[in-house]
């Protein structure tokens, strides 16, 4: 499980799904949230590919009012190729995950440690780009990896794009300091379809010794709006996880989000539990406390990677 099924030397197929139960102040809902199929493989020693098609909100049931619904239409979430040249220089082209930080690089529920996403990872930069990512290890250095990415066109499939844009450039680096420590950062700029121009500066650091894990990410963004106004948004989180047994973990996260332009501010504390009988199978539960009290909620999820 988790590695797919090999069809031939060039094609592997797999998939995943996640289901979620949420209990908030006014609603209790069940969602079969992500249903996805994937294909990946090597065309030759220099070229590989990945294709992922996903239906988000496949089925939704609101127990408070009895309503249900959903969409069984699949959209292209990732569709890219890799050209492997050397350790120092490689090219990824197509629709792909934006190579920023840690959280964004794990878009699948089953791979994450909590069901919920920090606001930092959802609202401040495009999660995907349809373009090119030049990446590799910086020559004559040890453990320093770079990404130079760009998009100057419409997204391949805008259904699951959090910030639609046709202008997105960035540069990211990550340094391995030791077996347990690594850190990095990124800078970038994007222009939305409403002509909002945002420039951002991001940083991340992680400690992981298999028993304890500490992760922190933060981003400062400056946006210029059509009204010729400009303002700042600051967001970040600190998360700690303790594996008291290989299959069991307790997770705590504190995050803060402050958008000066919209005057929206929230501080969120999340306490969660994760159980993995096998790594590709995840059962998680958590409770969130918000400084906006009406947003407190409990979340439970079951997800599987095939």
């Amino acid at each position: 499980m988790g590695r797919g099924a090999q069809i031939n030397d060039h094609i592997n197929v797999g998939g995943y799904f996640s289901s979620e139960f949420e209990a908030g102040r006014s609603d209790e809902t069940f969602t079969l949230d992500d249903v996805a199929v994937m294909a990946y493989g090597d065309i030759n020693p220099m070229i590989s590919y990945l294709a992922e098609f996903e239906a988000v909100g496949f089925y939704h049931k609101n127990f408070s009012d009895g309503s249900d619904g959903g969409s069984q239409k699949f959209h292209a979430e990732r569709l890219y190729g890799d050209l492997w040249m050397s350790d120092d220089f490689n090219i990824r082209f197509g629709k792909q995950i934006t190579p920023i930080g840690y959280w964004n690089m794990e878009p699948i529920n089953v791979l994450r440690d909590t069901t919920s996403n920090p606001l930092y990872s959802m609202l401040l930069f495009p999660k995907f780009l349809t373009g090119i990512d030049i990446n590799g290890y910086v020559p004559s250095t040890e453990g320093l990896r770079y990404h130079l990415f760009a998009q100057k066109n419409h997204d391949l499939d805008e259904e699951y794009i959090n910030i639609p844009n046709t202008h997105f450039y960035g540069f990211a680096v990550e340094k391995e300091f030791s077996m347990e420590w690594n850190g990095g950062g990124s800078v970038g700029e994007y222009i939305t379809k409403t002509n909002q121009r945002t420039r951002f500066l991001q940083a991340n650091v992680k400690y992981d010794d298999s028993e304890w894990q500490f992760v922190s990410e933060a981003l400062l963004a400056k946006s210029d709006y059509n009204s010729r106004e400009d303002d700042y948004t600051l967001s970040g989180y600190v998360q700690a996880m303790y594996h008291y047994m290989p299959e069991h973990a307790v997770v705590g996260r504190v995050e803060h989000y402050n958008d000066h332009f919209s005057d929206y501010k929230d501080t969120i504390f999340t306490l969660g539990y994760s159980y993995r009988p096998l790594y590709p199978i995840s059962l998680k539960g958590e409770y969130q406390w918000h400084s906006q009290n009406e947003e407190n909620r409990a979340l439970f999820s079951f997800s599987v990677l095939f």
Side-chain angles (χ1 to χ4, degrees), residues 53-222:
F53 295 90
E54 181 178 8
V56 173
F58 193 86
Y59 175 75
H60 177 82
K61 172 73 174 181
N62 189 318
F63 296 102
S64 301
D65 59 17
S67 63
D68 62 358
S71 172
Q72 291 76 49
K73 186 175 181 180
F74 285 77
H75 295 269
E77 183 164 46
R78 289 185 285 176
L79 187 61
Y80 63 77
D82 282 305
L83 181 60
W84 303 101
M85 307 291 290
S86 68
D87 289 342
D88 304 332
F89 184 83
N90 304 286
I91 300 174
R92 176 168 291 181
F93 51 92
K95 186 178 180 183
Q96 57 194 278
I97 298 170
T98 303
I100 291 179
Y102 307 119
W103 200 277
N104 198 55
M105 299 298 286
E106 294 184 345
I108 301 173
N109 183 310
V110 68
L111 300 178
R112 300 195 301 260
D113 300 313
T114 62
T115 301
S116 63
N117 298 282
L119 296 178
Y120 149 89
S121 68
M122 303 288 290
L123 304 177
L124 293 180
F125 59 88
K127 296 170 57 180
F128 295 92
L129 67 98
T130 300
I132 189 169
D133 170 30
I134 300 171
N135 62 87
Y137 286 93
V138 178
S140 303
T141 64
E142 184 176 351
L144 181 60
R145 186 172 181 86
Y146 72 91
H147 291 269
L148 179 62
F149 54 90
Q151 172 177 331
K152 190 64 176 175
N153 47 260
H154 289 276
D155 289 292
L156 178 66
D157 189 331
E158 296 186 352
E159 183 68 21
Y160 304 139
I161 299 297
N162 61 324
I163 304 177
N165 70 90
T166 56
H167 172 110
F168 184 25
Y169 300 95
F171 178 73
V173 294
E174 184 176 359
K175 170 67 174 175
E176 299 170 4
F177 300 107
S178 68
M179 292 291 292
E180 293 82 18
W181 284 99
N182 67 66
S186 61
V187 295
E189 175 188 85
Y190 61 87
I191 301 175
T192 69
K193 287 189 171 182
T194 58
N195 290 322
Q196 172 189 324
R197 179 190 295 268
T198 298
R199 298 178 177 92
F200 63 85
L201 176 65
Q202 178 267 349
N204 49 269
V205 64
K206 177 191 285 187
Y207 172 85
D208 192 342
D209 65 6
S210 297
E211 182 179 12
W212 285 95
Q213 182 190 86
F214 298 93
V215 180
S216 182
E217 299 186 67
L219 188 147
L220 175 65
K222 179 185 178 183

Side-chain angles (χ1 to χ4, degrees), residues 239-251:
Q239 178 173 292
M241 180 171 61
Y242 173 58
H243 283 277
Y244 64 91
M245 293 179 64
E247 300 87 1
H248 301 266
V250 178
V251 184

